[in-house]
Amino acid sequence: STKTKKTKDPMADPIHQFQIQPLPGLDFGEVTLPLVGTVHLAVTNSHLAMTVAFGLVILFLSLVTAKAQVVPGRMQAAGEALFGMIDDLAESIIGPEGKSLFPFIFTIFTFILAMNVLGLFLSFTATSQLAVTATFALLTIGLVLIIGFAKHGLGFFKLFVPSGVPWPVLFLVVPIEFVSFLLRPITLALRLFGNMLGGHVALKVFAGFIIALGGLAASGGLGYLGIPGAALSLGMVVGLTALEFLVAFLQAFVFAVLTCVYLNDVVNLGHGH
């Protein structure tokens, strides 16, 4: 007897949208590189999404600065609002030295925001990949370590010794502070990754309900009972889409806020430690 295998429709799978796939004609297979070894070389949808997001950021900032006017237009006003928001954020959390760190914070914010928003229009969201969010988290913590040791040397380890704590309690507090510091890049990466992943999965699930219940209603008879469910699912998709635009901005902003907080810990080390 022969068994027929049911092929699962990838478009109905809510996780399929997060799979990294080579672009047609840009999969070069196994390639041997000097000092690296044999790697699978390909240009993927993840590369494309990040490149397009980067290009949009550059284009937006170029348009903002190309025709700067005393009385700003809509584009210039939007750009100045973003610039001013992150500038005020960095200065209010870090202090005067936040000015010198503004370029890094603004770059992180705009790049993550562009990838988040772009993912609502494409079938792939770069920030739904843990490898991408982890890279941003490691860049942030790496800068924290560089500034900490460059500015304070071994005094950087005062970060783990809060001021005003009785010395017997330090045996408990110092390990907690150290572990908390090690968890910072993990929480940075997981927060952004989890929010973008969860929102897009929910959208895909409710969109699947629309198709399934709509197909049931098309069969007639009792199938018409699926119409209210399809209408409700459509409303959920519209509502979740609006919410996802807000989440896209908030997650980029939260990442920028936490970046400022972590940088403040080493820039102003000794003030409160």
Side-chain angles (χ1 to χ4, degrees), residues 236-253:
M236 289 297 297
V237 168
V238 174
L240 283 173
T241 301
L243 181 62
E244 279 298 291
F245 276 102
L246 178 61
V247 170
F249 173 82
L250 286 178
Q251 287 305 310
F253 184 73

Side-chain angles (χ1 to χ4, degrees), residues 47-216:
H47 295 130
L48 178 63
M50 288 186 285
T51 302
V52 172
F54 175 76
L56 289 176
V57 170
I58 298 301
L59 178 62
F60 173 73
L61 295 178
S62 298
L63 292 175
V64 167
T65 57
K67 297 181 180 180
Q69 301 174 352
V70 177
V71 180
R74 293 181 180 178
M75 185 74 72
Q76 183 179 340
E80 290 179 356
L82 287 178
F83 187 96
M85 180 182 66
I86 302 301
D87 185 45
D88 292 341
L89 176 69
E91 189 170 0
S92 62
I93 295 178
I94 303 175
E97 293 193 47
K99 292 287 186 182
S100 60
L101 296 170
F102 167 79
F104 176 80
I105 301 167
F106 187 71
T107 300
I108 287 282
F109 169 75
T110 52
F111 196 21
I112 291 177
L113 177 61
M115 288 190 291
N116 289 352
V117 174
L118 188 63
L120 294 170
F121 296 96
L122 301 179
S123 59
F124 182 86
T125 307
T127 44
S128 66
Q129 297 295 319
L130 187 57
V132 175
T133 60
T135 300
F136 284 114
L138 290 175
L139 285 173
T140 300
I141 297 302
L143 181 61
V144 169
L145 291 172
I146 291 172
I147 293 176
F149 283 109
K151 189 171 183 180
H152 306 287
L154 294 179
F156 167 78
F157 292 103
K158 292 180 182 178
L159 180 66
F160 311 121
V161 185
S163 61
V165 177
W167 71 266
V169 184
L170 289 177
F171 291 101
L172 178 63
V173 172
V174 171
I176 293 176
E177 290 288 332
F178 182 70
V179 172
S180 175
F181 181 83
L182 294 180
L183 289 176
R184 285 180 177 183
I186 299 176
T187 55
L188 268 179
L190 290 179
R191 182 182 292 106
L192 178 57
F193 158 75
N195 279 279
M196 301 313 299
L197 179 76
H200 284 72
V201 167
L203 277 173
K204 187 73 171 184
V205 168
F206 281 107
F209 285 160
I210 297 174
I211 297 174
L213 294 173
L216 181 64

